Amino acid sequence: AAGVIQSPRHLIKEKRETATLKCYPIPRHDTVYWYQQGPGQDPQFLISFYEKMQSDKGSIPDRFSAQQFSDYHSELNMSSLELGDSALYFCASSSSGISYEQYFGPGTRLTVT
Amino acid sequence: GENVEQHPSTLSVQEGDSAVIKCTYSDSASNYFPWYKQELGKRPQLIIDIRSNVGEKKDQRIAVTLNKTAKHFSLHITETQPEDSAVYFCAASIGGDSWGKLQFGAGTQVVVTP
């Protein structure tokens, strides 16, 4: 079965640079969620989109923005990167018809140096 | 704010024994409670979930119970195997109309020794 796809899988950036993370949900899933997970920590909800509209917002810094496109893929844009942004970034998707069951992608490991 | 507490933080069991992880939540509007298993460096994997209109759900060696009155839910793993070793996260949906926003517990490191 098709799963959530994330790219890139690994990303190394320097402080103050920008990064763009991409997420392709499971086919026919209309909701996308972004999570940030630091080492040894639980996933922290950042933001979610349903049918291309922002549906919920969590602890997402103002330096970050995201959107969902007409093909349901989503991009997380991160600017003015800081050392503390180094983490695993997961995208998850769900179908509003089977509400709430979120399936995670493999994650993007972002390292800021 | 919304809070999910998870205990214990680490759990060591002998192969074949049972493991129990407990979580409590604070948001009375929470109505969906999934459990995720995460191996080191890998994605969280949904292993079982329960909704507020159900008290118990079982899938082979895994079961989850929910007590809405007390606001706690538990994961039970029977006949543990070494491949059950991982970090397990409980989660609760935040707000009744939150489109699935989840608050996670801090995780339980489960180690199954042969």
Side-chain angles (χ1 to χ4, degrees):
Chain A
V4 177
I5 297 172
Q6 288 187 248
S7 67
R9 295 292 310 279
H10 302 272
L11 192 57
I12 300 175
K13 291 285 185 178
E14 294 187 355
K15 283 196 308 184
R16 291 179 290 278
E17 286 192 320
T18 61
T20 297
L21 279 54
K22 296 184 179 183
C23 169
Y24 297 85
I26 292 171
R28 291 180 294 282
H29 279 195
D30 50 18
T31 309
V32 168
Y33 311 81
W34 286 97
Y35 292 89
Q36 178 192 58
Q37 187 176 32
Q41 297 183 354
D42 58 288
Q44 293 290 315
F45 172 77
L46 293 177
I47 195 166
S48 63
F49 292 87
Y50 166 69
E51 283 291 344
K52 293 148 279 183
M53 298 287 289
Q54 180 182 307
S55 52
D56 259 311
K57 197 170 182 180
S59 51
I60 185 169
D62 292 341
R63 301 177 287 108
F64 294 6
S65 65
Q67 57 182 323
Q68 186 180 31
F69 294 85
S70 57
D71 64 351
Y72 295 103
H73 94 272
S74 178
E75 294 183 4
L76 178 66
N77 299 293
M78 311 161 72
S79 63
S80 303
L81 287 169
E82 302 173 356
L83 295 178
D85 296 328
S86 296
L88 261 173
Y89 289 84
F90 288 105
C91 168
S93 74
S94 70
S95 167
S96 58
I98 311 174
S99 65
Y100 299 159
E101 287 183 13
Q102 296 181 30
Y103 296 91
F104 281 69
T108 294
R109 182 173 295 281
L110 173 67
T111 303
V112 181
T113 62
Chain B
E2 305 91 0
N3 196 33
V4 176
E5 295 194 358
Q6 182 171 348
H7 300 281
S9 57
T10 59
L11 182 59
S12 185
V13 295
Q14 288 283 112
E15 182 178 0
D17 287 349
S18 295
V20 180
I21 304 170
K22 298 182 179 182
C23 289
T24 60
Y25 61 98
S26 59
D27 186 351
S28 57
S30 296
N31 55 16
Y32 174 65
F33 308 91
W35 287 87
Y36 286 87
K37 173 184 179 183
Q38 187 177 30
E39 297 174 24
L40 190 62
K42 302 215 172 155
R43 76 186 79 190
Q45 180 186 359
L46 178 65
I47 56 172
I48 195 167
D49 57 16
I50 192 166
R51 300 181 194 277
S52 58
N53 57 347
V54 176
E56 184 173 357
K57 184 177 178 180
K58 189 173 181 181
D59 182 5
Q60 299 182 4
R61 296 186 297 108
I62 294 173
V64 58
T65 58
L66 171 65
N67 183 327
K68 278 222 79 175
T69 304
K71 293 193 185 132
H72 67 70
F73 56 114
S74 302
L75 178 71
H76 304 251
I77 306 174
T78 59
E79 300 171 25
T80 54
Q81 301 167 4
E83 51 265 39
D84 294 329
S85 296
V87 177
Y88 290 79
F89 291 100
C90 65
S93 63
I94 304 299
D97 297 320
S98 67
W99 297 100
K101 175 182 172 182
L102 296 177
Q103 178 72 47
F104 283 80
T108 297
Q109 175 76 62
V110 173
V111 177
V112 181
T113 52

